Amino acid sequence: MDAFIHISSSLFLLIGSFLCLSGGIGILRFPDFYTRMHAVGVTETLATAMILIGLILYNPDFLVDVKLVIILLMTLFISPTAGHALANAAMLNDKMQKDDNKQNSEVKSSTS
Amino acid sequence: MIVHLPILQVIIPLMAAPLCLLLTRPRLAWLFSLIASGLAFLISGMLLQQVMTSGTIIYEMGGWEAPWGIEYRIDQLNALLLLIISALSTIVLFAAETSIHKEIPADKHTLFYVLYLLSLAAMLGIVATGDAFNVFVFLEISSLSAYALIALGQDRRALWASYQYLIMGTIGATFILIGIGLMYQMTGTLNMYDLSIRLPEVAQTRTVFTAFAFVIVGICLKLAMFPLHLWLPNAYAYAPSIVTAFFAATATKVAIYLLIRFTFSVFGLSFSFTHLPLQLLFVTLGLVGVFVASTAAIYQTNVKHLFAYSSIAQIGYMIVGFSISTAAGLTATLLHLFNHALMKGALFLALGAVMYRIGSTQLSNFQGLGRQMPVTMAAIVIGGLSLIGVPLTVGFVSKWYLVLAVIENGWWPVAVLILAGSLLAIVYVWRIVEVAYFKPALAGTETIQEAPLSFLIPVWTLVIANIYFGIDTRLSVQVAQAASQSLFGVSP
Amino acid sequence: MRHTILLSLYLAAFWLANSGHYSALMLSLGVISIALVVFIAHRMDVIDHEAQPLHLTLKLPAYFAWLIKEIFVSNLLVVKHIWLGNKSISPVFMTITASQKTELGKVIYANSISLTPGTVTVNIEGDKFLVHALLTQSIKDLESGDMDRRVTQLEN
Amino acid sequence: MKDLLAVAMLLSIYGLLSASFFVAMDAVDVAFTEASVGAGISTLLMLVAISMTGRAEHPSRHKPLLALAVVIVTGSLLIYGTLDMPYFGSAEAPIHQHIAPRYINDSMQEIGVPNIVTSVLASYRAFDTFGEVVVIFTAGMGVLALLSVVRRSPVDIAKIVLFNDAMHERHLILRIVTKIMIPFILLFAFYVQFHGDFGPGGGFQAGVIFASAIFVYTMLFGMNTARRVINQSFIQVLAAIGVLLYGCVGVVSLFNGKKFFDYSALAIDPVAGQHLGILFIELGVGLTVASVMVIIFFNFAGRNETPRNSDKQDL
Amino acid sequence: MSLSLESMLQFSIILPLLATIGIVATGHKPNLREAVTITTSLVVLYFVISLYQGLQQGESISVYWGELLPGLKISFSIEPLGMLFALIASFLWLITTVYAIGYMRGHHEQNQTRFYSCFAIAISSVMGIAFADNLFTLFIFYEVLTLSTYPLVTHAGTEDAKKGGRVYLGILLSTSILFFLLAIISTWFVAGTLDFKQGGVFAPDVNPLVAGTILVLFIFGIGKAAIMPFHRWLPAAMVAPTPVSALLHAVAVVKAGVFTVLKVCVFIFGIDLLAILPSTQFLLYLAGASVLLASLVAMRQDNLKARLAYSTVSQLGYITMGALMATSAGVVGGSMHIATHAFGKITLFFCAGAILVAAHKSEISQMRSLGRQMPITMIAFFIASLSIIGLPPTGGTWSKWYLLMGTLESEQFILMCILIISSLLNIAYLLPIPFHAFFSGDKSSTPDSGIKEAPLPSLIALSITTVGCVILFVYPQPLYDLAKAILAT
Amino acid sequence: MFIGLYNYWVVIVLMMVGFYIVIAHGNLIKKIVGLSIFQTSVFIFYISMAKVDGGSAPILADEINQYSNPLPQVLILTAIVVGIATTALALALAVRIKEAYGSIEEDEIQKQDNLD
Amino acid sequence: MLIAATLAILVVMIMAIMRVFIGPTLYDRVLAVNMFGTKTVLLISLLGFVMGRPEFLDIAIVYSLINFISVIGVLRYSDHFIFKQSGQSKK
């Protein structure tokens, strides 16, 4: 039994790491902001979940497990919210730039 | 309660600060801070007396003995500094209510007193403590409150001055932190007394050398020692007058104290002055500081600037006395510490009075003030004479001891230079005198009156102290000598 | 009031799960803390049906199970395209219509869209969601309305 | 990097990184604090400040050669200084031999708290921590002195520019998620406050977390709402009370004839007294930190909404 | 009065200070104010004379006020040199006050109250200097004197006056702080005491190089003695009103300077030590050069007061020389010259002031034929000139004589030549003034000028001092006795 | 993880980066950032001193007998607070300076000051 | 395995930092920082296990909270710029 749990935990961790790495590559590789967001989405949902589940399996202590679950829930709760918020801001910004790309000194110098 | 005096010294103003915040009426807050400061003064007097009769007092916080807990260790040196700080603070505070009325918006008066008390408590804390890290913590309290107080000045340049001070001060504090860390790493202790015992074993290591360098540079930044003085003139010039008077009289003194404490007590005389070419370095920097700053003072058009540069020059004298590294030299430095606090306190407070009446401290506005505000101007003149070092004022006493100590060490040229530095002081003091007494008053200033009593009383208290301690030097000399001898006796 | 009691219960559970120290002192401190938090939350006016969606409690697990499956699938899809490279993707903006009536429902729907990699809700205006997708395929799946329907069901 | 916002982002990353490093170095309490402060509060404050000062840096004209020289000299000196230092991690180093062993071996008997950091912080070196509280109090007072705005007339409030008002109308998702989260964040703060004895955490971290819950609330629902919830002058009083509470614990031991901060005076059993004392002072710390953080944030954010057209110079 | 001599000594220092308060208090009533001044000066003179009698009877009088720093006492005692100085100063204060009343009113000067009060402080510090028992006490009063005379120099408040005041204060304060104080500290360090002692305080085996350096520091440091190149302040101070010039040249400042030089030479070094120091020679020649150069410069001045000022520089050189010659005749000559020069020079200045007040003339070239309108003034001027030159029937004869004796005694023939040459120069620049006043100039311009003699108080004052010059010739014995006694006790 | 003194050197390099930003950059906010980095690096330095090989976090637990040194951690807790206090105040000043001068560039402020 | 996972996370963190430096827009940076934050949460959790003291997960919880707050902060104050700008352009 112990061996099984150990192996499965390792497996979860392995998958999580792989997903994470994939997301990392995605954030570097994808061409623009919105697409990169999807790559980040990968690392924040499944990858995180996998690693945390791996850890939960690894450790039988109840208190620690509870905390890991809390972390997992929070991540799942927060990451889409944050992602949405960011995308929203970026979109507004884009729109604004399209509206007036004549005398917008401040933002342009920073984004170019 | 007598055994608790060391902690009460710090804790009374410290606890008074948040209490003061609860008093929303500014006048009440003023009265309250005055009482707190006065109590601190009382306690410091009792402490000094206690120390002079029965030697070093040790007070362990939380009952944990020294290297594990934090202790307050009051010897003659600390006691003297405590007395200077609390006395000056009380006297200066007396004029605060009138002064800030004109210089600070009304809704910030209470905050002013809170910050003032914090600053006072922090300085007392720095001086009283026997723990190196505790020094850092209180140094930061004092610095933070200082930044805020300076930024309260009317002029927008006060903000910029405060910002520059903040950057320099924080770098200095961080350097001290690095130095303390390195010392701690080599000895495993933070208690200054414990450090002084354990450092000699590892004195030859490069780490301790580096620690020393960082601590000293950090302190010198706080000290505004030439060439690290750039933040000081503007900070003093644009801060509210009360703040300037308080800091000019006390803040640099605290830094000098730290310098003395670390070089003489913690690292020990033999380490500080025999391994390193420190003596030469400090003498040179001190003297160059005297000359550069005095010369700069001559060319200032704002009297506050002028006296700020003069402060840097006076720091130069203290550094020279300190670098002689003999008991006589240290005595001279301590005397000058005390005396300079009296002079600068009087001068800047008098400037505060001028500020109160004419709203500016530009030299050109001093025209005819000799007739319009005779009592205030007389105070400035006497303070200036003291700065020059004219006999019967305290300035003479400290210069006498300084030159004597220098000659005792055989440094004739230095003695000549020290005296030559006073000549520059004549020049800048006399510029003010001439403008004030021998120029007709500006048109439209006929209505200017003598400063109110709330200024004149503290100013003249200090002026009279300037003269009294210039004539009856027993007390100041005795304490200074006792302090420096105890340092030389204790240090390994 | 219902919401307040419920919130207190949630908080109590949270405290107990975290604490691990069940001495009298700690428990009483916990009670005090919860009381304080509820008081502050009340002042902040954050206790209502939006924040404590108790009416959903029973239906949520089923939805979550389905959502996890979706997340799993879409993750693999995105990862595949990450490795395939830029040429394989076809990013697109698209507006879809949500059928939820309450704001809470919309939020659940929008977050579910974002939670499944490959699609992100960018903007909400009324019942129009602006969605960005990595692949045109994913947006098609959304438009098919499976998720929309499930969230709406949750609502009722 | 000419965009200051980006710089602020980097600073936040630096904070996160160093916090991770602290965990690796066994300094969990420090990591806790650094995470909440370095990555959280200071980034946030920086963002607010940048929003007021402009985010673009102008190219500087002066030559940094002198600066470079100073830095190189300082750095070389430091490296020179490390040469005689005990090796990293070596258990024989003096710091592990002289004072620390007593803390590690005896603190359980003397104070009865498993978290050694807490016992050192709150009892052996309680005075330092008192200083720390005063530092933060001072900063609060300083910010208040610098940024507080004289109470405005209703006319002025009406003129306040739109962008400072609530954003919850536009951000549906954020609103609901935040509403759900806030009570839990608050409770978590209390949890951290009271479990500092057993694990990482304590008054300071709790205060910061508590304050950050308020920050989120303020950012979402706007300053005016936040002001209604949290009374400005009340929070100032609270900050003062925190410091006083801490100090009074010391004063009480004074009146009981013990040394300042000697908590054993607080109860018949010295260890229980220590425990009680730590509880109280942590409470003081938490109170002060939370309220000062809120004061600082409110004043920054409140400054932001100063009407653009008038009274800029004279405040 | 039943005051003890000790209290008289103290009162002679304190009274003028107290008078300051009285003067300020009565400032708005000129008559009362001046009454206070004159009364005080009379009382002080009385005290000083009583002290003189006490000294004659061989009483030793000393007062101890306290210790400023450990070992540095403030104390006073009476010895002949100081007595001499005190007598001259207190007497001339009275005279100058009388003169000033006439001058200041005649000239409608501003700030008269400030003038009288600063004057009183200056006198007080002069008394302090005269009676000082040690170098430290002397130094303190020396500085007070500088500071209290500064407002007098800048009395007019004009740009010129300020410039003059700046030079005055600058040179005096800087020399005193830079050299004098250093010399004092060094003396304290080397000898361990600052008390004036017959025969000097240095140990006989003191390193001559060190002692020589200290001597140089002293001579340079006592800027009030106006040894070149530190003489600039004197001409610069000419901007002051005439009574002030009188004070500077005759009563207080320069006299305090040379007095200090004499004191230092005799009581700190002692003439025996002085004779063997290597730097003495150098300083002697410096003083000699100062004498000659100043005379030469004086010849070229057209402004009367400036000419008198350079004359003073030259005369001070005599006294310094006398002190440095390290012979008894030199010291006697030097100290007598203090007195004779004081009377001579004060008369000359009084005359200059009188001319200014009555005729509004300050340039020598304008003074032709003034003798007819102002005969008394011009006669006084003539007699005083004789005294300065050192011709009978004036007191100057004796002091010059002893100085010459001193050069002979110490076999300094070059210095002797200098003395003689400079006396000739004195004749050349002083005597032409009264001669021209009486015997040349076009007579046609006289009737319409309407110039009369100066106000009566001024006239009285200058007559008294002129008579003094003559009396010093006829009856020099007391003066000589005092001077002789300096080395004897 | 690291051997000998190597990691101290990394910390020192970080410290110097912060220090450099403080003194070389003219933008007030950037200076504050530099200050922050500088201070944080010093914290790292302290914390590295506290580490003992094979040690564990200084929170007592059974079956663990080697703890890292708690004292530097306590010190740094205090120092972090000091750091945030300084940062807050500095930012407040920067905001006020922007309001008063209209700029947060050192040389522009200096220029304006020289004008009055 | 734990160590392998830790290393993987570290690598991803480095990637995120690279993205922060590259930019190009502010939002890319914020995105990367956000990702960095969540990765730190994982890293801390993992580190606890690697070092054998897994009970300090409170820190990780705080991290995720802080992360959330700073994203809102960025949003809030970058909004500010957008509005400021639009305000200018409308004038």
Side-chain angles (χ1 to χ4, degrees), chain B residues 335 371 385 388-392 396-397 399-401 403-404 407-410 412 415-423 426 430 433-435 437-440 469-474 477 481, chain E residues 67-70 72 74 111 114 136 139-140 143-144 147 150-151 154-159 162-163 165-166 169-170 173-175 177-179 181-182 184-186 188-190 194 210 214 217:
Chain B
L335 261 181
R371 222 153 290 127
L385 291 179
I388 297 170
V390 172
L392 299 185
F396 176 75
V397 179
K399 223 152 261 184
W400 174 275
Y401 272 95
V403 173
L404 202 63
I407 290 179
E408 225 172 70
N409 229 28
W412 291 86
V416 175
L417 288 174
I418 289 172
L419 291 173
S422 320
L423 301 186
I426 301 178
W430 230 255
V433 173
E434 267 187 9
V435 172
Y437 283 97
F438 297 110
K439 279 207 173 159
F469 287 106
I471 294 172
D472 181 8
T473 57
R474 278 169 305 182
V477 171
Q481 261 166 353
Chain E
E67 228 178 14
L68 199 55
L69 305 175
L72 297 180
I74 296 193
N111 298 328
R114 187 170 78 193
F136 184 72
F139 178 72
I140 289 173
E143 294 289 26
V144 176
L147 291 171
Y150 168 79
T154 46
H155 187 85
T158 59
E159 204 52 47
K162 257 188 291 180
K163 211 178 284 170
R166 231 177 270 168
L169 195 77
L173 267 189
S174 38
T175 49
I177 288 181
L178 194 52
F179 301 126
L181 181 59
L182 188 60
I184 292 174
I185 297 176
S186 317
W188 166 256
F189 182 67
V190 174
L194 292 175
V210 172
I214 295 177
L217 285 175

Side-chain angles (χ1 to χ4, degrees), chain E residues 57-399:
Chain E
Q57 285 151 15
E59 291 189 36
S60 75
I61 307 155
S62 62
V63 174
Y64 169 74
W65 272 8
E67 228 178 14
L68 199 55
L69 305 175
L72 297 180
K73 296 189 289 286
I74 296 193
S75 56
F76 305 94
S77 68
I78 293 193
E79 48 78 44
L81 182 58
M83 200 61 241
L84 174 72
F85 185 37
L87 273 173
I88 298 167
S90 54
F91 178 65
L92 291 183
W93 183 30
L94 179 62
I95 308 295
T96 315
T97 311
V98 173
Y99 177 81
I101 293 169
Y103 178 91
M104 299 302 270
R105 294 191 176 178
H107 219 232
H108 306 295
E109 289 278 352
Q110 300 289 309
N111 298 328
Q112 294 198 18
T113 305
R114 187 170 78 193
F115 172 84
Y116 286 110
S117 46
C118 286
F119 212 116
I121 299 176
I123 291 301
S124 156
S125 47
V126 165
M127 291 298 152
I129 293 174
F131 294 135
D133 190 36
N134 57 46
L135 204 46
F136 184 72
T137 314
L138 192 151
F139 178 72
I140 289 173
F141 286 101
Y142 183 95
E143 294 289 26
V144 176
L145 180 59
T146 311
L147 291 171
S148 60
T149 46
Y150 168 79
L152 296 174
V153 172
T154 46
H155 187 85
T158 59
E159 204 52 47
D160 268 353
K162 257 188 291 180
K163 211 178 284 170
R166 231 177 270 168
V167 174
Y168 177 80
L169 195 77
I171 291 181
L172 288 188
L173 267 189
S174 38
T175 49
S176 71
I177 288 181
L178 194 52
F179 301 126
F180 195 18
L181 181 59
L182 188 60
I184 292 174
I185 297 176
S186 317
T187 310
W188 166 256
F189 182 67
V190 174
T193 176
L194 292 175
D195 291 347
F196 292 125
K197 220 168 73 191
Q198 189 62 250
V201 295
F202 288 108
D205 56 344
V206 68
N207 182 348
L209 201 65
V210 172
T213 319
I214 295 177
L215 179 64
V216 174
L217 285 175
F218 268 122
I219 301 297
F220 281 171
I222 303 168
K224 291 198 170 86
I227 291 295
M228 280 186 169
F230 298 114
H231 68 286
R232 279 286 316 149
W233 62 270
L234 245 184
M238 281 299 95
V239 291
T242 309
V244 174
S245 304
L247 177 83
L248 296 182
H249 289 251
V251 185
V253 181
V254 295
K255 290 291 132 62
V258 286
F259 170 76
T260 311
V261 170
L262 272 167
K263 268 263 185 185
V264 166
C265 289
V266 176
F267 295 109
I268 293 293
F269 287 88
I271 50 175
D272 298 331
L273 179 63
L274 210 57
I276 56 164
L277 287 183
S279 52
T280 312
Q281 281 299 320
F282 159 72
L283 289 170
L284 265 177
Y285 287 117
L286 191 73
S290 178
V291 168
L292 266 187
L293 282 174
S295 299
L296 286 172
V297 176
M299 296 212 32
R300 304 191 43 211
Q301 304 293 325
D302 189 35
N303 184 302
L304 178 57
K305 282 172 79 177
R307 185 175 285 190
L308 294 179
Y310 277 101
S311 157
T312 304
V313 176
S314 144
Q315 301 294 319
L316 293 177
Y318 287 146
I319 301 173
T320 312
M321 262 163 74
L324 287 169
M325 267 184 257
T327 63
S328 64
V331 172
V332 169
S335 36
M336 282 178 77
H337 202 64
I338 291 183
T340 55
H341 176 251
F343 276 90
K345 202 35 86 48
I346 205 168
T347 313
L348 289 178
F349 271 107
F350 283 170
C351 294
I355 294 168
L356 186 68
V357 170
H360 304 291
K361 285 177 179 165
S362 61
E363 304 303 301
I364 294 165
S365 48
Q366 304 165 333
M367 292 179 190
R368 287 161 187 275
S369 75
L370 261 183
R372 236 146 287 160
Q373 286 104 0
M374 309 177 69
I376 303 176
T377 311
M378 275 308 172
I379 290 170
F381 195 99
F382 175 69
I383 295 174
S385 302
L386 289 183
S387 182
I388 298 293
I389 298 162
L391 292 176
T394 57
T397 325
W398 299 119
S399 48

Side-chain angles (χ1 to χ4, degrees), chain B residues 217-293:
Chain B
V217 172
I219 293 173
C220 287
L221 263 167
K222 285 273 171 193
L223 182 59
M225 189 179 95
F226 180 86
L228 305 173
H229 65 278
L230 295 169
W231 57 266
L232 187 138
N234 281 336
Y236 279 14
Y238 300 121
S241 305
I242 289 298
V243 175
T244 315
F246 180 46
F247 284 164
T250 55
T252 47
K253 314 293 171 295
V254 172
I256 294 261
Y257 161 79
L258 282 182
L259 191 63
I260 294 172
R261 182 57 85 200
F262 272 99
T263 42
F264 287 113
S265 306
V266 175
F267 285 95
L269 189 63
S270 60
F271 176 82
S272 304
F273 286 101
T274 46
H275 297 329
L276 308 168
L278 208 62
Q279 212 165 26
L280 186 68
L281 185 77
F282 271 121
V283 170
T284 322
L285 286 180
L287 284 177
V288 174
V290 168
F291 280 92
V292 171

Side-chain angles (χ1 to χ4, degrees), chain C residues 44-46, chain D residues 182 213-222 225-226 229:
Chain C
M44 284 178 164
D45 195 22
V46 292
Chain D
I182 281 178
I214 311 260
F215 294 178
V216 176
Y217 182 76
T218 312
M219 285 192 289
L220 268 171
F221 294 90
T225 323
V229 175

Side-chain angles (χ1 to χ4, degrees), chain D residues 62-296:
Chain D
H62 48 94
K63 293 208 178 70
L65 278 179
L66 178 68
L68 206 62
V70 170
V71 167
I72 288 173
V73 169
T74 320
S76 322
L77 182 63
L78 263 179
I79 291 189
Y80 171 79
T82 59
L83 295 180
D84 280 336
M85 269 175 18
Y87 281 150
F88 173 70
S90 144
E92 278 77 48
I95 51 169
H96 305 310
Q97 300 298 327
H98 182 42
I99 292 181
R102 164 155 174 193
Y103 293 147
I104 293 171
N105 299 329
D106 300 347
S107 73
M108 198 62 196
Q109 287 88 52
E110 288 174 347
I111 292 166
V113 164
N115 187 346
I116 305 172
V117 174
T118 303
S119 28
V120 177
L121 181 96
S123 185
Y124 292 105
R125 296 186 69 90
F127 197 65
D128 259 356
T129 311
F130 188 42
E132 165 193 324
V133 176
V134 177
V135 165
I136 205 79
F137 179 71
T138 311
M141 292 305 106
V143 170
L144 210 54
L146 281 169
L147 294 183
S148 78
V149 185
V150 194
R151 195 157 290 126
R152 279 186 297 272
S153 64
V155 187
D156 281 340
I157 291 178
K159 274 196 282 186
I160 289 167
V161 194
L162 170 81
F163 57 72
N164 277 298
D165 215 24
M167 62 195 271
H168 64 279
E169 299 295 331
R170 290 183 291 111
H171 290 278
L172 196 63
I173 299 183
L174 282 185
R175 182 185 78 208
I176 290 177
V177 170
T178 314
K179 270 168 118 177
I180 297 172
M181 298 270 303
I182 281 178
F184 289 94
I185 302 179
L186 290 176
L187 188 66
F188 189 68
F190 282 109
Y191 159 74
V192 171
Q193 168 82 53
F194 294 121
H195 287 75
D197 295 358
F198 310 108
F204 184 76
Q205 293 91 332
V208 171
I209 296 170
F210 190 91
S212 47
I214 311 260
F215 294 178
V216 176
Y217 182 76
T218 312
M219 285 192 289
L220 268 171
F221 294 90
M223 272 303 290
N224 289 338
T225 323
R227 281 219 188 88
R228 269 200 301 280
V229 175
I230 295 151
N231 184 309
Q232 286 258 49
S233 42
F234 173 68
I235 202 98
Q236 286 178 25
V237 170
L238 223 52
I241 286 179
V243 179
L244 287 174
L245 178 61
Y246 198 135
C248 283
V249 175
V251 173
V252 167
S253 26
L254 269 194
F255 281 115
N256 285 349
K258 294 289 182 87
K259 293 281 168 69
F260 199 66
F261 286 137
D262 194 343
Y263 310 134
S264 43
L266 297 179
I268 303 143
D269 175 25
V271 174
Q274 291 284 351
H275 210 116
L276 200 62
I278 291 177
L279 189 74
F280 274 118
I281 66 148
E282 289 277 19
L283 207 59
V285 175
L287 215 57
T288 304
V289 169
S291 32
V292 166
M293 289 296 167
V294 172
I295 289 175
I296 291 177

Side-chain angles (χ1 to χ4, degrees), chain D residues 43-61:
Chain D
T43 315
L44 211 56
L45 287 182
M46 207 133 303
L47 286 172
V48 189
I50 290 171
S51 78
M52 279 180 267
T53 57
R55 62 190 263 202
E57 184 196 15
H58 297 280
S60 78
R61 281 174 287 281

